[in-house]
Amino acid sequence: MTLSGKTRVAGVVGQPVRHSLSPILHNAWLKAADLDGVYVPFEIAELNFEAFITGLRGSGIAGLNVTLPFKLRALAAADQATHRARLAGAANVLIFQKDDTILADNTDGLGLLWAFASQAPGFDPQAGPVAIIGAGGGAQGAAAAFLEAGCPKVRILNRTLEKAEQVAQALGAGAEAWSLTRAVEGLDGVMAVVNATSAGLLGEGLDLPLDATPPEAVIMDMTYKPLITPILTRARALGRQTVDGLEMLVGQARPSFAAFFGQEPPLGVDVRRLALNVLEHST
Ligand code: NDP
């Protein structure tokens, strides 16, 4: 990686952001491709988000990944948005364009489908209904990705039913709102279950009745710390195929890199191993 007066700059903005794995992934790809670019973290106060984005207009920055808690505000702060970002109701990518306008995109859904393709290769999103647990930005993005991939029905199961109803309404006829109290019924007959709650992050357990799923169902957890979460451990004990959140993180980073640096990430860099090393040594 070479830095010069022409270095292309991209980064990730969030609060907090110091534990983000994105700088590890992007800088490893930049180094392997020997590109004149750098990817840096921006941990900003919640109040300052819009001012921060406005200040970067015309600065020459290539783009930003956006993480908690700014994904909804990022969509609102942009001048234009891709169809998938509008459908997800949130942006994890802001691209600063040559005419000083900002384009919002959402690559989280691509990351989710990448993770399923990589870790559950036989999974077909069109084969039957899927269940998403949660109704936040991550859940809406996941539901949008399944619907875009031709999934016939996405059930949004959430602790607060009203939020599930709002998400289902935003997504249209393919989505249904369920209360988490009806999880046994809601998981019956699904081809996949995706945990998109922050329950693990908050240290609270989430006891899903995974035995209500058919044996061929794939169980995914978007949380990746720990990599094998209690939900994935339980799914494996039941003999279900599992998909982890780290693969989704890698999957969303690949199209982000292409948008920022103008080329696909180089092959042959084991960014998953690099990220795992950091996860294993972080508190
Ligand atoms: P939000 O804060 O927007 O949503 C949180 C959701 O979790 C809400 O639906 C909330 O329910 C639910 N929830 C929280 N605690 C509990 C609990 N104890 N029991 C049941 N439900 C609970 O978060 P995001 O959607 O942005 O993110 C969700 C998770 O996905 C996070 O862990 C995040 O790190 C991860 N993520 C991973 C990505 C990846 O690349 N691997 C990408 C994006 C997100 P209620 O509405 O009732 O409050």
Side-chain angles (χ1 to χ4, degrees):
M1 184 166 59
T2 323
L3 297 185
S4 74
K6 292 181 290 181
T7 296
R8 210 163 162 73
V9 179
V12 55
V13 56
Q15 174 57 252
V17 89
R18 64 192 62 194
H19 299 298
S20 172
L21 296 170
S22 294
I24 310 284
L25 308 183
H26 286 269
N27 287 313
W29 284 325
L30 285 167
K31 188 176 175 194
D34 197 20
L35 286 180
D36 187 2
V38 68
Y39 184 100
V40 288
F42 296 99
E43 185 164 293
I44 62 163
E46 288 206 30
L47 270 177
N48 293 345
F49 180 73
E50 283 74 16
F52 173 71
I53 298 299
T54 303
L56 286 175
R57 275 183 198 270
S59 67
I61 194 169
L64 292 172
N65 281 124
V66 182
T67 187
L68 290 172
F70 298 127
K71 289 186 182 185
L72 274 66
R73 285 162 69 184
L75 182 64
D79 303 294
Q80 302 125 36
T82 60
H83 173 68
R84 60 188 178 217
R86 284 197 302 270
L87 202 60
N92 74 318
V93 175
L94 291 175
I95 299 162
F96 291 75
Q97 304 182 111
K98 287 206 174 74
D99 63 359
D100 291 351
T101 60
I102 302 171
L103 174 68
D105 195 6
N106 193 314
T107 62
D108 279 340
L110 296 177
L112 179 97
L113 296 175
W114 159 282
F116 270 80
S118 135
Q119 296 186 334
F123 173 77
D124 175 5
Q126 303 185 358
V130 302
I132 311 289
I133 317 300
Q140 186 164 334
F146 278 121
L147 290 171
E148 289 272 273
C151 182
K153 190 63 77 180
V154 176
R155 301 176 187 164
I156 315 282
L157 282 80
N158 197 42
R159 182 176 61 178
T160 310
L161 178 60
E162 293 73 29
K163 280 202 210 162
E165 286 169 345
Q166 283 164 16
V167 169
Q169 196 176 19
L171 291 168
E176 287 176 352
W178 291 63
S179 164
L180 196 53
T181 55
R182 291 175 60 209
V184 172
E185 209 183 324
L187 297 195
D188 184 29
V190 295
M191 293 293 105
V193 178
V194 175
N195 174 34
T197 71
S198 49
L201 288 182
L202 304 172
E204 301 166 44
L206 182 64
D207 194 16
L208 293 176
L210 294 179
D211 46 355
T213 60
E216 65 274 24
V218 179
I219 314 299
M220 187 206 178
D221 200 331
M222 281 170 53
T223 306
Y224 49 80
K225 198 170 176 206
L227 183 67
I228 306 304
T229 62
I231 289 173
L232 296 187
T233 302
R234 169 103 177 100
R236 288 181 178 184
L238 288 167
R240 305 291 188 270
Q241 269 193 97
T242 59
V243 174
D244 66 56
L246 183 59
E247 198 62 18
M248 175 174 172
L249 184 81
V250 173
Q252 65 75 34
R254 295 186 63 85
S256 304
F257 183 94
F260 301 150
F261 300 109
Q263 62 183 69
E264 296 297 319
L267 296 170
V269 189
D270 192 350
V271 288
R272 190 177 158 87
R273 171 53 40 208
L274 292 174
L276 275 174
N277 282 344
V278 175
L279 278 180
E280 278 161 16
H281 294 100
S282 65
T283 48

